[in-house]
Amino acid sequence: MSELLIEGGTVVTADRMGPGDVFVRDGCIAAVGPDVRTAAGRDARVIDASGHWVMPGGIDTHTHLRHPIDRLGITTADDFYTGTVAGACGGVTTIVDFSLQRRGESLLHARDRRLAEIEPDAVIDYSFHTIVTDVRDDVLAEMPVMIDDGFPSFKVYMTYGDKIVNDAGLLRMLEITGEHGGLVYVHCENDCAVNHLIERHLAAGKTGPAYHAPSRPPAVEAEATHRAIMLAGLAGSPLCIAHVTSSGAARHVADARERGKPVAAETCPQYLVLDDSVYDPDGGFEVAKFVCSPPMRAAEHREVLWEALAEGSIQQVSSDHAPFHYENQKTTGRDNFTRIPNGLPGIETRLPLVFTGGVTAGRLSPQRFVEVTATNPARIFGMYPRKGTLEVGADADLIVVDPDAEVEIDAARMHSAVDYNPYQGLRVRGFPTWTLSRGEMIVERGEPMPPRGRGRLARRGRIDPAALP
Ligand SMILES: [Zn+2]
């Protein structure tokens, strides 16, 4: 029996904040409160958390580790070891990554292939959404099997060449998730409009990385977001919108929720912290470091997203961690922006960026910070209350953070394998002093120490549309 007592800190959960100790036994939360010391045996390890906040570990439900981009013949820069170590250093204790169904492949085969890639390397607990790219009758019939097996969420791309699912396919998937307790998680951009705008830019000789953003303007996101919400309504099914970046899309989500529809939404730190000034046409090819889809927006969208996050119409922040090296990966698109791999690193900096822009800047309460980074991701994707909370019986996944300690982000000191950081030089608060996963210390004073492969599969439950935050 292993015991651990985290003493003298301020305990912060989605609904409470106050002084308290946390007692951990055999990997689970055994007690939280003012007098839990008496429950601990003499051999219990004690961590002095005075001056610190003790919070549920972050849950990142949108990461792309060891993710292949077949069209370009490359794979994201982090595997499940470097990516989850980076996550742990940034306070993440659970990820939900992706299993990519290849054309012709069965979902169960894709699942087994993916598990074999994750198991030997992950240092924190994990699950994945299944990216469905080939909507056939036999594939649809596998969806309830995946849900029963603890993988209730399915990612759909409304754009992206070989991965695209058309409206009929999306509707058929929604009918199945609605009936069987699953959830469709959708990337919303109007594919026809994007392809048209790309062709127009390329034909005009506008091939540099700065033209990525104007080829995917806010209207293509808002239109597809509205369409996905309407199709989910038609099927009577819940829906989760990936990476909301703009006021129009945020408005469609808020309207649907006001009508009582079970629609959840996430945004990402890059859309809360950066804006479209990163796409300076005079910025040279380095602009490619910020090429992601959807792209960063004009500055006025940022405040709309923060407000939506504070008042509840956006319920969670994920990273969309999709790291590509600048050298030899981003540079693939030197002569044509459509060949720049889309994505930025973010698993390690997500909590600090939301903490700094949210809690330190006074936009989010500490409780709301916990809710959008841990509790709601667990609720939306079927992991609550085993994850995302400090209730008795939950997994002891937690972080201990000095709310006043400031760190300057520097790519050289980050743990991701990628060769740059989009927030280089930014000063942030919210990096954990300690990260614990199932009661085991995996990061101590910024130093990672978890053995490779210690992470476990977190099988997830059915999604209850009525229980969505
Ligand atoms: Zn993504």
Side-chain angles (χ1 to χ4, degrees), residues 34-56:
D35 298 312
V36 304
R37 176 169 248 297
T38 48
R42 242 190 304 176
D43 297 334
R45 178 174 180 186
V46 177
I47 294 171
D48 176 5
S50 50
H52 285 71
W53 293 0
V54 184
M55 303 185 273

Side-chain angles (χ1 to χ4, degrees), residues 170-409:
L170 173 55
L171 188 52
R172 295 179 78 193
M173 288 177 62
L174 284 162
E175 285 169 349
I176 292 183
T177 53
E179 186 182 341
H180 293 273
L183 181 67
V184 170
Y185 176 41
V186 61
H187 175 128
C188 300
E189 288 184 295
N190 180 313
D191 189 60
C192 297
V194 167
N195 290 331
H196 171 72
L197 292 170
I198 286 173
E199 279 168 28
R200 261 197 11 193
H201 282 99
L202 293 179
K206 296 175 173 173
T207 58
Y211 298 105
H212 169 76
S215 67
R216 319 180 85 95
V220 306
E221 180 194 3
E223 186 282 325
T225 302
H226 182 250
R227 183 160 29 108
I229 289 170
M230 289 295 134
L231 293 173
L234 204 53
S237 302
L239 183 70
C240 182
I241 310 287
H243 42 48
V244 171
T245 74
S246 58
S247 58
R251 189 66 251 162
H252 287 310
V253 172
D255 285 348
R257 293 173 60 85
E258 280 161 23
R259 294 197 312 273
K261 301 293 181 191
V263 175
E266 71 173 15
T267 189
C268 312
Q270 52 272 37
Y271 307 115
L272 294 165
V273 173
L274 304 175
D275 61 46
D276 64 0
S277 62
V278 297
Y279 304 119
D280 177 2
D282 302 323
F285 191 72
E286 296 243 339
V287 166
K289 291 176 177 175
F290 299 95
V291 165
C292 58
S293 292
M296 269 62 87
R297 305 302 192 188
E300 61 262 27
H301 293 276
R302 278 191 313 214
E303 226 37 60
V304 172
L305 297 176
W306 278 115
E307 278 165 29
L309 203 55
E311 54 83 14
S313 60
I314 294 179
Q315 303 79 43
Q316 66 157 337
V317 182
S318 305
S319 69
D320 199 2
H321 179 77
F324 295 99
H325 294 303
Y326 177 69
E327 298 294 344
N328 299 322
Q329 291 196 319
K330 289 284 187 180
T331 51
T332 308
R334 200 173 270 288
D335 302 319
N336 178 337
F337 69 84
T338 67
R339 294 187 59 77
I340 300 168
N342 281 208
L344 336 173
I347 194 171
E348 193 166 3
T349 49
R350 178 181 65 118
L351 265 62
L353 290 167
V354 178
F355 191 91
T356 307
V359 180
T360 310
R363 293 181 179 109
L364 303 180
S365 68
Q367 294 94 318
R368 184 65 181 161
F369 166 79
V370 169
E371 194 161 40
V372 302
T373 57
T375 312
N376 282 348
R379 286 176 178 144
I380 293 169
F381 289 110
M383 287 181 279
Y384 187 84
R386 198 176 128 205
K387 304 282 191 190
T389 170
L390 299 182
E391 294 302 313
V392 170
D395 284 351
D397 293 350
L398 51 91
I399 52 176
V400 185
V401 174
D402 175 350
D404 300 317
E406 227 173 54
V407 171
E408 185 176 310
I409 295 176

